[in-house]
Amino acid sequence: MSHSVKHAAIPGRLYIIGFGSIGQGVLPLVLKHLDITADRITIITADARGRDEAAHYQVDFQIRPLTRDNHRDILVPLLRKGDFVLNLSVDVSSLALVELCQEAGAFYLDTCIEPWVGGYTDPSLSPSLRSNYALREAALELKTRYPGGPTAVLTHGANPGLVSHFMKQALLNIAQDNGLDVAVPTTRDGWARLAQRLNIKTVHVAERDTQVADRPRERGEFVNTWSIDGFVSEGCQPAELGWGTHERHFPVDGQHHDFGSQAAIFLNRPGISTKVRTWTPMEGPFHGFLVTHNEAISIADYFTARNEDGSVAYRPTCHYAYHPCDDAITSIHEFVGKGYVQQERQRLLMTEIVDGIDELGVLLCGHEKGAYWYGSQLTVAEARELVPYNNATSLQVCATVLGGMVWALENPTQGPVEADEVSFERVMEIATPYLGPVVGVYTDWSPLDGRETLFPEDLDRDDAWQFKNVRVC
Amino acid sequence: MSHSVKHAAIPGRLYIIGFGSIGQGVLPLVLKHLDITADRITIITADARGRDEAAHYQVDFQIRPLTRDNHRDILVPLLRKGDFVLNLSVDVSSLALVELCQEAGAFYLDTCIEPWVGGYTDPSLSPSLRSNYALREAALELKTRYPGGPTAVLTHGANPGLVSHFMKQALLNIAQDNGLDVAVPTTRDGWARLAQRLNIKTVHVAERDTQVADRPRERGEFVNTWSIDGFVSEGCQPAELGWGTHERHFPVDGQHHDFGSQAAIFLNRPGISTKVRTWTPMEGPFHGFLVTHNEAISIADYFTARNEDGSVAYRPTCHYAYHPCDDAITSIHEFVGKGYVQQERQRLLMTEIVDGIDELGVLLCGHEKGAYWYGSQLTVAEARELVPYNNATSLQVCATVLGGMVWALENPTQGPVEADEVSFERVMEIATPYLGPVVGVYTDWSPLDGRETLFPEDLDRDDAWQFKNVRVC
């Protein structure tokens, strides 16, 4: 595939809301692969970050922080049918913008379901209502209100987003490697039956970011390879996981929601201090953080097989298992150690990164061959060579944003959709050139490896893939 | 005090067993402050580390790893009455060397009670028998066998060691600051009564090491400011703590020993993955690791006040709360994440450190003014200026080793003693010039600060200093 193909055209204007690391990383991709000129793009953002880049590309750059009170006043006069709103902000409600877009006939895409400022950590809300589960249920409600509306792609970055597509390809690969003659499913139920047939008990979104900068983190500084406010916000939400039908030990701090799909549960604690055992091909075994993410819920829900009476026959457990860059590990240790009080200084690593890989994929566990990881092993060097203003982490997001935009433009009347409802083949086709090596690797690793060598532990030895074995206590 | 005073004379030869960071750091201090010439010193060590320094000082340097099988063959022919054995090794049994020294009439000092190789992590031993409690009980047994023998100072580094002396000075300071007219206690019981009178419920050995190097940790590398093997070994022992009389929630994974003083309990898990909340003046609140240390047990035991019938009237909880340098935080995360399989590469930070402080002291909690930290805030820059071949961490150890050697030479027939039995005034007098600022600071911090802001927690709100509040779950 040529890197300069124009995949699709935006009929109207493009509004990029928020211009942090993802906005800055996606702009060159948009200009390269979508039929739109710089004079038809407007950036509306809350601060000056990225101003130089916008100037470089001669794109309109407006510092106008959107709030619950002003967003309609600012956006309604701007939006026309055929425009595209790309929401890459923090603290701007995804659902409010989706509604605006539905009303205006504009396309929409975001990389997570964001609430208005403070929504993730509003102590007046119960943990259940501060969850991604609750945000997703509100988004699903929008689906029912706007069937056939302009396509609004929800949660379509790397994860959530790309990993839903990895999941489908991984299922097909495992089926093929087990000699099963499987056609590509064409329905949600078909995908769920395939996962059930392969006996996928648990799905980890297993990520190891090894990117490292040329100078060490200082005390009082939160360092990360992508939005620090975004990471801290989601890290302070309850740890959430899709809750599989094979699970037989409900966590002592676990809780069901009293509304919605019931595809997921939450733990009564922040994800940023909740660790799980996982595995990626390059890193091998490691501990990741069970930070809540939309895909943990949407994948568990999408791949739910039901009996004729509607009851659940099969559902995988699904959760994020995230090892951010080492500087973020010590940032988290400091942040949590000070009672979840955020450091005053932030450093988002971009040009100062000297080495590293963002290894991001899905680990499908419980099938005949043990576990199978499928994903991207993008180095920072390759990311920079491919697209300016990127590191490995941002480019995995940005390539998927591009893929989702193309799919939306090609399928313009789908209304609000989740990543799992978007064509995995089309997105992978567009994104793969920007993902570095995309590999599938089997492993006999399990969370029971090396346990109880020195101390007794509470384990379920009969089923390695019970969450109680995966969780780090 | 002049820095070049000769405090005491070693009558015979000095044998330094092990020549890692502490051996290398202490040699210049010994040559400066003890009456001994380089030709009367022999280093017996397991590898080539420090060979250049030994050559610089023209000290005999022998690579002869001591083992259970060969140590008598090597040492018995060497040792004479009046010699001094300074055991700064790993994997060489402290108790075996103490016995040899008692037989030979030689002085002895070490910085922890070390077992033969593998003793910390021998899976054929129960956690109770792999504990420092068990090692200490064996050491106490030696006391009864060699009363009046040549002085053998056990566990006399920074911690264990120096912090026992900080503890006594801190008690006197708190008494004075509360307007109590208290004479310096002269007996163990007198000290325990003072701690009881001041209502010291909990003692943290609270340490924050901020030393940082000029290049980041690499994957597969354990980085620390002192012996990596030493830290990993003790980190894999059970978490241990002196168990105070005010505690009313026994840990679910806690266990009493079925022998010995009963001053301490252990948790059925490694200290290197067990975190506690603590506080130091420069750092403020942070999470430290509850790594087992001899002082957690010896301080709790020493400061136990008893009723007339011998039953325990008062005992403080005591444990280590250690925040190693940031590179060690990620080293630990990697090590634990790989199932306690040690990295193949090690980097002991010495010359490459560019900045940082080792803030090491005792935090006495529960008294009228809340909590009081007393300790050393030594910077790496000052450490280097004071003594070559040191960083901040090593010099706190080495200065205390020197102090203990002087006290032993001045009190030559005490037999085996713990740090708590050594004169705190004399050791502080010798060590303080090498400790940077030694400060006492009150704080109203408590482990209940900022709790339950977003999630429910299992707390004891009636007594902040319950271990259940301190522990991080």
Side-chain angles (χ1 to χ4, degrees), chain A residues 87-103:
Chain A
N87 181 13
L88 304 171
S89 64
V90 294
D91 294 339
V92 177
S93 163
S94 298
L95 301 185
L97 297 200
V98 170
E99 289 202 69
L100 267 184
C101 287
Q102 293 297 314
E103 294 165 10

Side-chain angles (χ1 to χ4, degrees), chain B residues 53-54 62 64 69 76 80-81 98 154 170 195 201 244 265 301 309 330 339 372 454 457 468:
Chain B
E53 182 189 338
Q62 303 184 13
R64 300 173 81 182
D69 292 336
V76 168
R80 303 273 180 281
K81 183 167 156 50
V98 169
L154 299 168
K201 292 177 170 175
I265 66 169
D301 200 4
D309 64 359
T330 57
Y372 178 74
L454 289 174
E457 297 188 70
K468 80 180 285 183

Side-chain angles (χ1 to χ4, degrees), chain B residues 209-336:
Chain B
D209 181 352
T210 68
Q211 291 170 97
V212 63
D214 55 2
R215 64 185 173 93
R217 187 187 76 91
E218 294 175 14
R219 283 180 53 230
E221 190 180 48
F222 201 117
V223 176
N224 199 12
T225 55
W226 59 282
S227 171
I228 287 139
D229 289 330
F231 181 34
V232 168
S233 292
E234 69 182 26
C236 290
Q237 287 182 275
E240 291 182 86
L241 61 161
W243 190 244
T245 40
H246 74 293
E247 300 286 359
R248 51 195 182 211
H249 311 277
F250 198 78
V252 289
D253 52 359
Q255 202 169 315
H256 292 284
H257 300 272
D258 58 11
F259 60 96
S261 71
Q262 300 300 331
I265 66 169
F266 66 96
L267 309 181
N268 260 304
R269 56 179 300 141
I272 209 164
S273 66
T274 304
K275 289 186 193 175
V276 287
R277 294 170 174 83
T278 193
W279 185 95
T280 58
M282 177 203 65
E283 180 62 32
F286 65 91
H287 287 178
F289 292 95
L290 201 173
V291 170
T292 182
H293 256 212
N294 185 81
E295 75 269 21
I297 307 157
S298 79
I299 288 176
D301 200 4
Y302 190 85
F303 290 88
T304 295
R306 291 183 185 274
N307 300 310
E308 285 192 7
D309 64 359
S311 63
V312 174
Y314 162 81
R315 174 179 292 146
T317 288
C318 183
H319 57 76
Y320 196 14
Y322 178 36
H323 191 318
C325 67
D326 280 10
D327 280 335
I329 295 288
T330 57
S331 301
I332 291 168
H333 179 80
E334 185 177 69
F335 167 66
V336 175

Side-chain angles (χ1 to χ4, degrees), chain A residues 121 130 210 212 217 219 268-270 275 282-283 285-287 323 326 330 333 336-338 454-455 473, chain B residues 121 130 210 216-217 219 268-270 275 282-283 285-287 323 326 330 333 336-338 454-455 473:
Chain A
T121 52
R130 295 194 308 263
T210 68
V212 63
R217 187 186 75 91
R219 283 180 54 231
N268 260 304
R269 56 179 300 141
K275 290 186 191 174
M282 177 203 66
E283 180 62 35
F286 66 91
H287 287 177
H323 190 317
D326 281 10
T330 57
H333 179 79
V336 175
K338 297 198 181 297
L454 289 175
F455 296 93
C473 292
Chain B
T121 52
R130 295 194 308 263
T210 68
R217 187 187 76 91
R219 283 180 53 230
N268 260 304
R269 56 179 300 141
K275 289 186 193 175
M282 177 203 65
E283 180 62 32
F286 65 91
H287 287 178
H323 191 318
D326 280 10
T330 57
H333 179 80
V336 175
K338 296 197 181 299
L454 289 174
F455 295 93
C473 291

Side-chain angles (χ1 to χ4, degrees), chain A residues 257-271:
Chain A
H257 301 271
D258 58 11
F259 60 96
S261 71
Q262 300 299 333
I265 66 169
F266 67 96
L267 309 181
N268 260 304
R269 56 179 300 141

Side-chain angles (χ1 to χ4, degrees), chain A residues 1 21 48 51 58 99 103 106 120 159 163 237 248 258 263 276 280 296 308 317 339 388 400 410 424 427 432 438:
Chain A
M1 191 192 101
S21 60
R51 188 200 287 273
Q58 298 182 287
E99 289 202 69
E103 294 165 10
Y120 288 130
N159 59 320
V163 295
Q237 288 182 275
R248 51 195 181 210
D258 58 11
V276 287
T280 59
E308 285 191 8
T317 288
T400 316
E410 292 170 345
F424 78 102
V427 173
T432 299
V438 174

